[in-house]
Each structure stands twice: as structure tokens, then as C-alpha cells.
Amino acid sequence: MSQHRWHLIPVLLVSAGVAAVWIEAAVHRQALGWWQLLFYGGGAVALAGVFWFRRQLSQTEVQLQSLRRRLNEEEVRLASERSAVEDLRRTVESELKEETRRLDHRQQELAERLVAYHEWMEFPQPIDLANPDQAAALPGDAELAELARKDKLLLDLLKAETRVLYENILANKYVRDGKMNLLAIRDDLQSLVTKAARIYQPGVEQPLLEASLARITRGLSRACLQLLVVLDDLPLNVKDANLGTLHAYVRNAVKAWQMYKTTEPYWPYVNTAWYLGRFAMGANPFTLGAWWFVSSFSQQGAKALATHLVNRQALALLGNLVRVIGYEVADVYGGDFRHRDANWIYAAELSELLAQFPLSRDSLAHALREVGALELRSEYDRVFLYRCVASHKSARPKQFRATTCLTPDERHAIASRLEKFLAAFVHGKSADKVAAWKKSAEERLGVRMACDLAPTAVSVRGQLADGVRSLASFLVGARQLEPDQLAPALGKSRLLAELPPAEREPLVASLAENPPYFFEHPDLDPDGDLADKYLDDLAGLFAATAPRDKATEETLGDVAAYLRRDRQQMRKLLEKRCAAELDRRLADDAPQRRFPAPVVRAALDLLEPGETGRFLYGGVILEAASTGREAAEKSPLWLLGAGQRLVLFSAGEQPKVLWRGDSGTQAEQCRKLLVTSCQLTGGQWLGDGPAPAALRIPTGLVSTYANWFKPLLAMLGRESLEKSA
């Protein structure tokens, strides 16, 4: 360790000066000659003197330097230890991550085993919709809708097969020589299974041989449980019942029905004969009338008793047996058949409702009663729902997609029952909880719900503003209008007129500044009149703006269903507003003013914005060029006149423009037998196939040629008028 300290600043200054002198001497070496040696020598002497620019360190400074050196060594050691600790931390984190991964894997295995247990116990399989793999395994909306359609076909099939089975028992088909005909039972059972399986898989030939053995086994297990439930409803001891006993039971019921049907034609004669005999023997008329009333009443009572006997003992049993078989076949070949049912969706939504609010004795008792009264497609589902309700858990109704597999009427019925249950039996209904549950239920069911929340003045104004905003989103998002066109388009809105005048302009201005570019459903109370006014405004905007296509009409039908209104009523409202819009845009002297709905939509789409139609004629006939006969055309043809142009179009599912004309088109009066028509020649043919020789438009039944075609002839000019004369 050094005992001296150098004075660095003097050393640097001297060294810099010597370097400068040497550089100068080197630059002027020719001028200096040998004198430059003096510069080099002086510089060397100066550098040698630098050795004395140092001083001896004191003992304290030596100790301080030693301490500093030890501190540096300690810092190096600490850094090394810190690095080792960091490596250890990373190692521990890596091991913890590995352990966490192992635990997650173990948890996944346990979850899969739990799912397997759930499948074995026939409980609904839990699905995490946030998991892409599980979400991808679910059927698409189109596939689910097709399965729901096939479910309805299956239910119709089961009803028809129940009637056939009942008729077979009446005909004693399953008994031969006093013994049961097992072959006939087997054949009919196989026929039922095959018919049900082919609804979901039309190409299946041998259902029992082409399905998974595990699924068939589970189906048989479910069927056994369902049969036990069915037999438990019968008024006999199930433990002692066998197949022969059940057949005899049903056969006795059928015999009772046959006995009544055999004697029924003779009851009026017996009653009449007995009545006349009593009258001949001088019976009291009042007593005789009472006896006749009792006898007639007994006849009706016997009929009602026999009907009740058959319905209760035969039809109920046979119908349940057919449903058990059909349901299990549908579950094997049609996927998750049990849960594409309105009763199941309602029960799942009920469990979700109870899970969102505090559970009380009242709500628990009524919920269990509701679940017990439902006609579910599997008793395993009822057990599962009982467990969900009792443990205050949800059955996860979101994963069953009610909007796809249920009809709007079924979803409306579910929403109504949920609203009644919420109002009658649920406790702890805070506004936040009710609003949160209501929003999620509306998204799952696709309908608006009313939860008995009386709207205040502020909420009504909020609904009005939200409805106007939704109308603006329809114009901007669906109709592609510019934001500056919103004010005139919304000028006739009934919702906007409900707002105070001072709030209308700021609302429309804010919508023009920040236009909603995506069409959104409004947050309106379905029980109020604002929903009807909103739908009327929406229909008016649909009629006033193009295009008036089927897809947009279906979208507006969805909006009506969301607000708990009937789709058919919305369709009629759209047709009414379109008809009114076309009537407004036709000239006053247009001879024909009532048209079918497809013609109205097509004509409105053909008119330019702000353009007035001069006339619209129907029943146009194409004259073939070769023979002069009428050319075949499947769709009715219509001729629209607007401005100086003529347009011939067909108004089917896909409207098509076939011909265009202008003021140069020639018109000529044509008479055939008792029919007078106007024949048009010229123009441009736009349709497929050869161009027709002429267009022929018949005159109205109670109108003259001049009056009926007055706007057409006026469009074509005086020359055409003279030709027609």
C-alpha cells in the first residue's frame, strides 16, 4: 500500500506546459536549429521535478486508506452475496412456479374427474365460457337453432306415436292367444327408436349399433330412473309390479273404455223406453223428470269416469313411456337435448335469481316448489336443481343460450314468471342488485324485463334521451346517414317530441357532434308506453330511409322482441309505415294507391331521396317478340314512373329491375275483347333472356283508359297523346 499522495493538479499543469513547449519546438525546429535542444532539456528537467510533487501520508490517512480498501472489498463481497441471493430467489421462484404448475395440473385433473363424476351422475357438465377450448366445443348458433327445430319435430313425433300406441292397445295388438306378444312390442319399440334417431341423424340405419356404447348405457340408466318415476305415479305397488301386471292394468282400463263405447249407442234407447214405461204407469211427472235428469247425468258421469280412467291410467302411462324412450334417444343422437327446454331454462334462471339475493325460508320453499312442479326432461336435472337452490348456487343459465334454442314467446313467459317470483318471494332487493340481475337476465333471454321499479320524472327523461339516441344509432349505424342529417331525420320523432323544447336541440346537437356509429337497443321500460312510441318511430325511420331489406326488418323484429312486443305486430307496423310513406310520395293523381308489402318496399327503394312517384301500375304483361303472345314471368311485374324515367320491376323475395324507359317511350292504346290496355314500346331491356316486343298494362276495372293512364301519357308528351287517340 502506497504511503504517499501525489499532487495531481501541479503535475498535470507542468506536464501540459512541457508538452506545449516541446510541440512548439518541434514545429519551429528549422528556425531554432540546435537551440531546440535547450527546450527539450528544460522540459525534461521540469518533468523530473514532478517527482517532488508528492507528500508523505500521515498515520491517520494511511488508516483511512486501509479502511476504504476494506470497505471496497466488503462491497464486492456483499455484491457477490447479493448476486447469490438473487440466484437463489430465481431458483425458488422457478421451483414455486413449477410447483404451482403441478398443482394447477393436479387441480385440472381433479376438475376433470369431478366433471366425469358429474357426467356419471347425469348432472349438467360445467362449462367455462371464458375458456376458448370449451367455448369452441359448444355448437354454433346456427347448429343449435337447427337442433331446436328438430326437437319440435321429435315432440310432434312422440305425440303421434302415443296415439298409435293407444290405438294398438285398443286393438289388442300386444296380446296373442292370451299371452303378451313380445315380438310386436320389440318391433314397435325399434320403430320408435329409429324414427326418433333419424330426426337428428337422417342417415342412421341401426341406431343401437351406430351410437357410442357409453352413451347408450347412460341413456338406459336415465331411462330406468325415468320409468321408476312414471311407475311411482300409478295407483299400485311398484315393488310388486311386473310387465304382465302393468299390461293387465292398462288392459283393464282399455276394457272399461271399450265397454262404455259398446253400450254408449244404446243408452238413449234404454232411457227413452224406461221413461215411456214409467209415464204409462202413471209416474209422477216431477219424479220422472228428476229420474231422467239423474239418468242423463249418470250417462255423462259414466262417460267422464271412463274418460278419466283412460286418461289417468292408460294415456298418461303410455304417453310417459313414449316420452321416456324418445327423450333418451334424442339425448343420445341429438346432443344436449334435455337442456334445450323452456322448463329447464326457467329453472336455471330461477337458480341464478336466488343466487343473486339473500336466501330466505320463504324464497327457498317456493323455489323448491317451483322446481318440483316443472315437467323436466330428466329427473337427474331436478336433483341437480334442488342441490343448486338449497346450496344457494347458480345452474349457470348463460351456457344454455336461451335466445337461440327458445322461441320469443317461451322467453317472454320465462321473463314474466321470473318477474312474478322476484316480486312475491325474493327478499333483500336493493336497487343495485336488482339492476345487476335484470341486466344479465335480459342479455341471456333477449327480452326487456320490468321489475316493478316505478320510474321517476328523471328516469322517464333518461329513457326518452336513450330512445332518441338509439334512433340516431339506427340512422347512422344501419342507414349510413351523415351526422348533420340527424336533425331533419329525427324531426318527426314522437320520443323527441316528448322531451321539453329546451332539451331537444342540445340532445340532437350532442348526437351530431358524437354520433353513435353502432345500432344499440334502448333502455326502455317494456311495460310503459315509451316502448310503443319508440317502435313506431323506428318503423317510420325504416320506411323513410333505404334500403328496406328483409335483414333490417328481422333486426327490428329482434328489437321488438327485446322490448317484449310481438314480432308479427312489428312486421305489420313496418308494412303500415312503408305503405303510408309510399302513399305520401306518390302524386295525388296516381290512379293506384294500394299495393302488396314487397311492392311497397321495392318502389320506395327505387325512388330517389326526395323524389315523388308519378304512378305505379301493376299487372304488367310482357309481349313476346316472336309470337306476340304473353311471355312467361313467375313474379308479378310493376311499372313505376318518377321524374322522366320508367322502371319495370318484379317484387319477389329479391326485387329485380327488368326494363327502363324514358320520355322517348311510345304508348299506344290496345283493345283485346273486353280489355283495354296501354302498350309501351322502346326503352332498354335489363332482364335475362330475349327482350319482349312490348309491355302491356291493363286498365283498371272501373276506370277509363284516359283517366287510368293520364299520368303516364302526360309523362310521355303530346305526341303519345295523339297516337293514343
Side-chain angles (χ1 to χ4, degrees):
M1 185 178 61
S2 176
Q3 300 292 327
H4 298 83
R5 174 170 294 176
W6 291 85
H7 297 284
L8 295 178
I9 295 177
V11 171
L12 294 175
L13 291 175
V14 171
S15 301
V18 171
V21 172
W22 284 356
I23 292 171
E24 185 69 21
V27 172
H28 299 85
R29 61 182 179 278
Q30 294 182 356
L32 292 175
W34 63 271
W35 290 97
Q36 62 183 332
L37 298 177
L38 293 177
F39 288 92
Y40 295 140
V45 172
L47 289 176
V50 169
F51 180 78
W52 283 275
F53 286 118
R54 63 175 186 167
R55 66 180 180 84
Q56 181 74 27
L57 295 178
S58 63
Q59 187 66 27
T60 303
E61 290 177 331
V62 171
Q63 292 177 356
L64 244 119
Q65 191 173 3
S66 177
L67 181 60
R68 188 177 293 112
R69 182 181 58 80
R70 288 197 300 270
L71 286 175
N72 290 337
E73 293 175 353
E74 188 68 22
E75 286 179 359
V76 172
R77 187 182 62 80
L78 289 175
S80 177
E81 292 180 356
R82 189 180 297 110
S83 177
V85 170
E86 187 68 17
D87 293 339
L88 180 61
R89 184 184 64 81
R90 284 195 292 268
T91 303
V92 171
E93 286 182 354
S94 177
E95 293 178 355
L96 287 176
K97 288 181 180 179
E98 181 65 20
E99 184 68 13
T100 302
R101 188 192 64 79
R102 189 183 65 81
L103 290 176
D104 290 342
H105 182 69
R106 178 63 176 168
Q107 184 179 6
Q108 181 66 23
E109 290 181 349
L110 292 175
E112 292 176 355
R113 184 174 299 177
L114 180 61
V115 170
Y117 288 153
H118 280 212
E119 291 177 347
W120 179 74
M121 297 181 67
E122 299 302 334
F123 290 159
Q125 182 178 359
I127 297 175
D128 184 9
L129 297 179
N131 188 333
D133 296 334
Q134 295 189 13
L138 293 174
D141 290 342
E143 183 181 356
L144 187 59
E146 178 64 15
L147 288 174
R149 185 189 68 82
K150 292 179 178 179
D151 292 344
K152 293 181 174 59
L153 295 179
L154 175 72
L155 297 178
D156 295 338
L157 172 67
L158 297 183
K159 292 179 182 178
E161 290 296 319
T162 301
R163 290 193 295 268
V164 171
L165 180 60
Y166 179 60
E167 292 172 358
N168 290 339
I169 291 180
L170 284 179
N172 212 16
K173 177 181 177 181
Y174 303 116
V175 175
R176 179 181 296 175
D177 299 330
K179 297 181 180 180
M180 292 192 61
N181 187 359
L182 297 179
L183 293 179
I185 296 177
R186 183 205 64 183
D187 293 341
D188 286 355
L189 178 61
Q190 183 178 359
S191 175
L192 173 61
V193 171
T194 303
K195 290 179 181 178
R198 284 178 179 171
I199 291 178
Y200 297 95
Q201 297 182 15
V204 67
E205 294 294 337
Q206 297 292 333
L208 297 179
L209 300 180
E210 299 179 27
S212 169
L213 182 60
R215 299 183 68 177
I216 292 178
T217 305
R218 287 198 296 268
L220 292 174
S221 174
R222 291 192 299 267
C224 292
L225 176 63
Q226 296 295 108
L227 288 175
L228 287 176
V229 175
V230 170
L231 295 176
D232 191 53
D233 291 336
L234 298 178
L236 72 143
N237 191 353
V238 179
K239 293 183 295 183
D240 299 333
N242 53 33
L243 190 60
T245 304
L246 292 177
H247 182 269
Y249 177 71
V250 176
R251 187 180 179 187
N252 289 335
V254 172
K255 281 186 176 181
W257 173 253
Q258 288 177 329
M259 184 180 298
Y260 169 73
K261 295 297 290 183
T262 302
T263 58
E264 182 183 20
Y266 303 102
W267 273 101
Y269 302 104
V270 173
N271 285 339
T272 303
W274 182 255
Y275 173 80
L276 293 176
R278 295 284 295 175
F279 184 77
M281 290 186 292
N284 190 327
F286 294 102
T287 305
L288 187 61
W291 180 89
W292 178 85
F293 174 77
V294 171
S295 65
S296 299
F297 180 80
S298 299
Q299 177 186 0
Q300 298 298 324
K303 181 177 180 180
L305 179 60
T307 303
H308 173 75
L309 180 65
V310 172
N311 290 339
R312 181 67 180 89
Q313 297 180 350
L315 283 180
L317 175 60
L318 298 179
N320 288 332
L321 291 176
V322 172
R323 278 198 300 271
V324 167
I325 297 171
Y327 286 177
E328 297 312 320
V329 173
D331 213 57
V332 171
Y333 293 93
D336 196 14
F337 168 78
R338 293 153 43 188
H339 302 139
R340 296 191 297 267
D341 177 42
N343 290 325
W344 164 260
I345 297 294
Y346 167 66
E349 288 289 349
L350 183 62
S351 69
E352 175 70 18
L353 170 62
L354 294 176
Q356 299 299 321
F357 296 92
L359 190 64
S360 65
R361 179 182 300 177
D362 193 30
S363 61
L364 176 61
H366 285 86
L368 293 176
R369 188 177 296 113
E370 284 278 300
V371 173
L374 293 174
E375 185 179 342
L376 299 175
R377 294 177 176 176
S378 174
E379 290 303 314
Y380 284 109
D381 292 338
R382 199 183 312 276
V383 175
F384 173 74
L385 292 168
Y386 280 149
R387 292 183 59 182
C388 288
V389 171
S391 58
H392 204 209
K393 300 295 182 182
S394 171
R396 300 182 180 183
K398 185 177 181 180
Q399 72 185 50
F400 303 110
R401 292 181 288 177
T403 55
T404 304
C405 62
L406 299 184
T407 64
D409 292 339
E410 290 173 334
R411 289 184 274 119
H412 292 168
I414 292 173
S416 300
R417 293 192 66 170
L418 291 173
E419 291 167 356
K420 294 177 182 178
F421 192 92
L422 175 69
F425 307 116
V426 174
H427 302 277
K429 293 179 288 190
S430 64
D432 294 340
K433 288 184 177 181
V434 171
W437 170 79
K438 176 174 174 286
K439 180 180 179 181
S440 60
E442 288 175 348
E443 292 176 355
R444 291 190 299 270
L445 296 175
V447 298
R448 289 284 293 155
M449 302 185 69
C451 298
D452 295 331
L453 299 177
T456 62
V458 178
S459 66
V460 169
R461 291 188 180 181
Q463 291 183 54
L464 289 170
D466 195 64
V468 174
R469 188 176 297 106
S470 176
L471 295 175
S473 70
F474 172 74
L475 292 173
V476 176
R479 288 299 196 238
Q480 305 299 318
L481 262 67
E482 296 297 330
D484 55 357
Q485 297 176 313
L486 288 178
L490 295 173
K492 297 182 180 179
S493 169
R494 297 175 62 188
L495 286 183
L496 188 63
E498 292 281 338
L499 286 170
E503 298 182 11
R504 297 175 194 170
E505 277 192 35
L507 176 59
V508 176
S510 66
L511 292 174
E513 292 177 2
N514 299 303
Y517 289 102
F518 298 98
F519 181 38
E520 297 180 354
H521 297 178
D523 187 13
L524 301 178
D525 183 5
D527 289 338
D529 60 341
L530 295 183
D532 296 321
K533 294 179 181 179
Y534 165 79
L535 293 177
D536 186 65
D537 285 345
L538 198 60
L541 295 178
F542 173 82
T545 55
R548 299 148 187 94
D549 54 333
K550 278 289 186 181
T552 306
E553 187 175 332
E554 290 295 327
T555 301
L556 300 189
D558 294 338
V559 177
Y562 177 74
L563 294 174
R564 308 282 288 280
R565 299 302 188 270
D566 184 55
R567 285 175 173 270
Q568 296 299 324
Q569 294 297 328
M570 184 62 185
R571 182 181 60 80
K572 293 179 180 179
L573 178 61
L574 292 174
E575 293 178 356
K576 176 182 176 182
R577 294 304 299 266
C578 287
E581 178 68 15
L582 180 60
D583 186 74
R584 184 184 67 82
R585 297 185 63 177
L586 279 179
D588 294 336
D589 59 347
Q592 194 171 351
R593 310 196 72 86
R594 300 187 65 179
F595 313 96
V599 177
V600 172
R601 286 195 294 265
L604 287 174
D605 286 343
L606 289 173
L607 291 174
E608 299 293 338
E611 186 179 31
T612 299
R614 303 180 70 169
F615 54 81
L616 180 58
Y617 294 117
V620 181
I621 301 171
L622 302 179
E623 295 284 357
S626 58
T627 62
R629 297 182 179 180
E630 299 176 4
E633 180 64 33
K634 297 181 180 179
S635 301
L637 302 181
W638 299 80
L639 182 67
L640 173 67
Q644 294 299 317
R645 60 193 178 94
L646 298 171
V647 180
L648 178 71
F649 64 93
S650 63
E653 289 294 330
Q654 295 293 333
K656 185 189 305 181
V657 176
L658 301 175
W659 175 86
R660 288 183 183 274
D662 52 23
S663 57
T665 304
Q666 301 298 318
E668 182 179 357
Q669 185 175 359
C670 178
R671 295 180 181 273
K672 288 187 178 182
L673 297 179
L674 300 178
V675 179
T676 303
S677 58
C678 179
Q679 184 170 291
L680 299 179
T681 56
Q684 181 183 5
W685 177 253
L686 304 175
D688 300 330
L695 308 181
R696 184 158 51 86
I697 312 168
T699 308
L701 293 178
V702 292
S703 180
T704 63
Y705 177 85
N707 290 334
W708 187 256
F709 294 108
K710 181 179 179 180
L712 172 61
L713 299 175
M715 174 188 291
L716 298 180
R718 295 182 178 178
E719 295 180 0
S720 295
L721 281 171
E722 293 174 358
K723 284 187 177 183
S724 64

